[in-house]
Amino acid sequence: MATRTRSTRRAKRPVPSGPLERAAQAILADSGQTVGRLATHNARAVAAAAEGAIASLGEGGTIYFCGNGGSAADAQHLACELAGRYLLDRPAMPAVALTTNASSLTAIGNDFGYDDVFARQLEGLGSPGDVLVAITTSGRSASVTRAVQVARALGMVVIGMTGSQGRAFARRCDHALVTPHTVTPRIQEGHIAMGHALCELIERALFAPEATGSGPARSTRSSPPRPKVTPIRRAKGSRPRSRSTRRR
């Protein structure tokens, strides 16, 4: 048998063989193109949002996350990346998803209305200089926009995540991370990509500054422990402190 040449042995790119495969190819291509556009259009916004979060954590602040449905899952996902770990072995960071306490959500929803399920929690937990990451793909979620109003009234920094139809919502935020798409799944994919970038920038800046800009930082397990970033703790019933009196 004759030996095949290298050119004939090279595998050809498969051609979609059926309607489902063609549809899958189109969906994945659209997803990849959307996420790929973030590096060009959103890097500056992600960096600015990270800078705000880093400053807050450095002063003892807490980062709160909220959203509904898939955005609630994203809120919990990103909170755990900071409270647990992302890439580095390091102290926990104070990050809270306002979507996880079923008793609070149902009590507030029942007694005050669903629009207040996040805002009411922030009224009791938030302090000036804390951060709210508010996620709404449409920009029209009343519970999320209400939380933004309360956060701004408290003097918190607001990072908003939305889609291309949420420009009005984006203008209410200090930092807007807008996925350039109108379809909810594509927007959510952009949110988690930018959320991961946000977590990585925060983690590098606070626990591995020498690694900034050089790719994923290596574990600091064997390094001397760094000071733990601790949240402000207020006595029960006390009023929030002003930014100028926050612990440094």
Side-chain angles (χ1 to χ4, degrees):
M1 181 181 296
T3 303
R4 289 180 295 175
T5 65
R6 184 174 182 179
S7 61
T8 60
R9 291 197 304 266
R10 185 179 300 142
K12 295 181 179 180
R13 184 175 180 178
V15 176
S17 59
L20 287 180
E21 189 174 344
R22 288 192 292 272
Q25 187 179 71
I27 292 167
L28 293 172
D30 188 27
S31 176
Q33 290 167 5
T34 301
V35 173
R37 293 172 64 187
L38 299 178
T40 302
H41 298 284
N42 295 65
R44 179 174 295 180
V46 172
E51 186 175 1
I54 291 162
S56 176
L57 290 168
E59 294 182 351
T62 298
I63 302 182
Y64 297 95
F65 296 81
C66 70
N68 295 287
S71 296
D74 289 345
Q76 292 163 212
H77 178 161
L78 297 174
C80 81
E81 301 286 21
L82 297 178
R85 61 169 291 173
Y86 184 72
L87 290 176
L88 302 179
D89 294 328
R90 40 77 178 169
M93 287 183 268
V96 177
L98 299 173
T99 57
T100 58
N101 188 326
S103 295
S104 289
L105 292 173
T106 54
I108 294 168
N110 184 68
D111 296 344
F112 297 91
Y114 187 80
D115 290 358
D116 286 322
V117 292
F118 305 133
R120 183 73 176 177
Q121 293 183 75
L122 275 184
E123 287 176 3
L125 296 171
S127 291
D130 286 344
V131 174
L132 173 66
V133 179
I135 311 173
T136 165
T137 58
S138 67
R140 297 188 301 272
S141 171
S143 60
V144 176
T145 56
R146 173 68 179 139
V148 168
Q149 293 171 3
V150 169
R152 295 190 69 86
L154 288 172
M156 296 173 62
V157 176
V158 178
I159 299 171
M161 289 185 167
T162 190
S164 59
Q165 294 181 330
R167 297 290 179 179
F169 170 79
R171 288 193 291 269
R172 302 175 191 171
C173 305
D174 297 296
H175 307 286
L177 308 185
V178 180
T179 302
H181 212 294
T182 60
V183 175
T184 297
R186 301 293 85 79
I187 297 169
Q188 291 172 330
E189 289 156 7
H191 287 173
I192 208 64
M194 290 187 285
H196 275 168
L198 182 68
C199 291
E200 186 163 342
L201 292 173
I202 292 169
E203 191 178 67
R204 287 184 185 184
L206 291 176
F207 299 100
E210 69 280 359
T212 300
S214 60
R218 58 186 175 81
S219 171
T220 58
R221 181 181 294 276
S222 60
S223 303
R226 296 177 183 270
K228 185 174 181 179
V229 179
T230 55
I232 297 295
R233 288 183 171 83
R234 302 194 303 268
K236 187 175 181 180
S238 63
R239 296 182 63 82
R241 303 175 185 177
S242 64
R243 177 184 283 272
S244 62
T245 59
R246 294 180 65 83
R247 188 187 310 163
R248 299 297 183 191

